[in-house]
Amino acid sequence: MDNIVEINGLSKIFVSEKKQAVQALRDVNLDIKDQEFVCLIGPSGSGKSTLLRLMEGLITPTTGTIKVMNKPLKGPIPEAAMVFQEYSLFPWRNIIDNVALGLELRKVPKNKRYEIAGKILERFGIEDFYSSFPHELSGGMKQRAAIARAIAISPQILYMDEPFGALDAFTRFKMQKGLISFWLEEKRTIVFVTHSVEEAVFLGTRVIAMSSRPGRIIGDYKIDLPYPRDRWNEEFGTYFKELMTLMNSGDIEKSMAF
């Protein structure tokens, strides 16, 4: 498979209102292949979300380069979509209009965009809530709608920033299984940020571990396990232990003291 994302020598420095420089990322080099499911893990302050926003083109790097689909990234592209942790649904639009928003912005006729949005809502099991508004839905349903909206534009790359972080454990497991089902069927590229090592091993074909600020890559693991995955499997436990050991290693402690 070809690389769909190529990152070389990437660094990001933010300057506060008090003119203080904070280095979020330092010398990040990462290639992501088409149709991979890549999970980014690391402690708070490791720059995972910053890296995701750089890949999406929402912010620009201080140094280094990003190529997406063999072209230098200069801003958001129509082939990619982002799902945030905070649902980001418009409260004045009902669910089907929220899901169809990206299609509406692309001037897709109303009947066609409702047809596409309706099929995706059926896929995520919320077809009975087409006319409901976000405040009428549970957290899990809101996040399903947010993911459905991102998928509706048929992106080649789906960036996901801790999308299940605010959900209860039962709903989280259900959403994880639904996301895996989508990925196996649709063969998209997914880049998924999480604080949970267990979630990363359960979802990803590959797990990238990052240090504390300034974030840099300290581990790159291929997760060679079949789907659906069993959390109680011995090999699953081996990956989990290796990653937990890495995340508690001297590399992390040194980076925290930087």
Side-chain angles (χ1 to χ4, degrees):
M1 291 185 290
D2 296 330
N3 291 332
I4 196 167
V5 178
E6 298 178 33
I7 297 172
N8 291 291
L10 193 70
S11 296
K12 180 62 181 179
I13 297 174
F14 293 100
V15 179
S16 70
E17 293 181 359
K18 297 181 179 180
K19 307 302 181 183
Q20 293 179 322
V22 177
Q23 185 161 24
L25 297 168
R26 180 206 288 166
D27 193 27
V28 173
N29 299 280
L30 177 63
D31 292 335
I32 297 174
K33 295 187 181 301
D34 189 25
Q35 300 181 19
E36 276 195 301
F37 195 135
V38 176
C39 291
L40 303 176
I41 63 170
S44 296
S46 61
K48 304 182 300 296
S49 294
T50 297
L51 181 56
L52 204 69
R53 283 162 172 75
L54 285 162
M55 283 191 256
E56 169 69 351
L58 297 175
I59 56 177
T60 57
T62 303
T63 61
T65 61
I66 305 175
K67 285 186 178 181
V68 179
M69 303 180 75
N70 296 315
K71 296 180 181 179
L73 185 66
K74 298 180 180 179
I77 60 174
E79 295 86 358
M82 175 81 88
V83 177
F84 299 94
Q85 182 176 352
E86 302 85 6
Y87 312 137
S88 63
L89 299 173
F90 290 112
W92 60 87
R93 296 176 70 108
N94 63 23
I95 294 307
I96 196 163
D97 282 332
N98 262 289
V99 172
L101 177 61
L103 299 168
E104 182 180 341
L105 295 175
R106 296 182 184 198
K107 309 299 183 184
V108 175
K110 186 173 183 179
N111 289 345
K112 183 63 177 178
R113 66 177 183 257
Y114 274 18
E115 178 186 348
I116 294 170
K119 287 180 180 178
I120 295 172
L121 285 170
E122 287 178 16
R123 181 190 189 101
F124 282 87
I126 47 176
E127 66 273 15
D128 293 335
F129 299 90
Y130 286 6
S131 300
S132 299
F133 288 85
H135 74 272
E136 300 176 292
L137 303 186
S138 67
M141 287 182 178
K142 289 178 186 177
Q143 195 57 292
R144 274 183 269 180
I147 295 172
R149 183 176 62 187
I151 290 170
I153 62 172
S154 193
Q156 285 297 110
I157 310 171
L158 186 60
Y159 298 112
M160 309 187 78
D161 191 2
E162 295 194 73
F164 308 148
L167 304 179
D168 63 85
F170 178 80
T171 303
R172 185 173 187 145
F173 292 161
K174 188 174 182 179
M175 294 291 289
Q176 289 169 351
K177 290 179 180 178
L179 181 60
I180 286 295
S181 176
F182 162 78
W183 175 75
L184 288 172
E185 291 178 22
E186 298 294 332
K187 304 300 182 185
R188 306 294 182 181
T189 302
I190 296 179
V191 186
F192 187 103
V193 165
T194 178
H195 276 102
S196 170
V197 172
E198 180 190 56
E199 182 170 63
V201 176
F202 185 78
L203 293 175
T205 59
R206 187 174 163 208
V207 177
I208 305 297
M210 299 184 67
S211 71
S212 294
R213 191 175 66 238
R216 64 190 190 282
I217 293 174
I218 58 172
D220 187 341
Y221 287 77
K222 179 181 179 183
I223 309 299
D224 191 15
L225 294 173
Y227 295 97
R229 289 179 176 167
D230 179 2
R231 287 178 168 86
W232 304 108
N233 178 277
E234 184 176 347
E235 290 181 272
F236 187 102
T238 298
Y239 282 114
F240 177 80
K241 289 176 184 176
E242 286 185 16
L243 282 160
M244 286 299 294
T245 299
L246 176 65
M247 299 309 293
N248 288 296
S249 70
D251 286 327
I252 290 288
E253 292 170 2
K254 290 174 185 175
S255 66
M256 291 177 70
F258 180 85

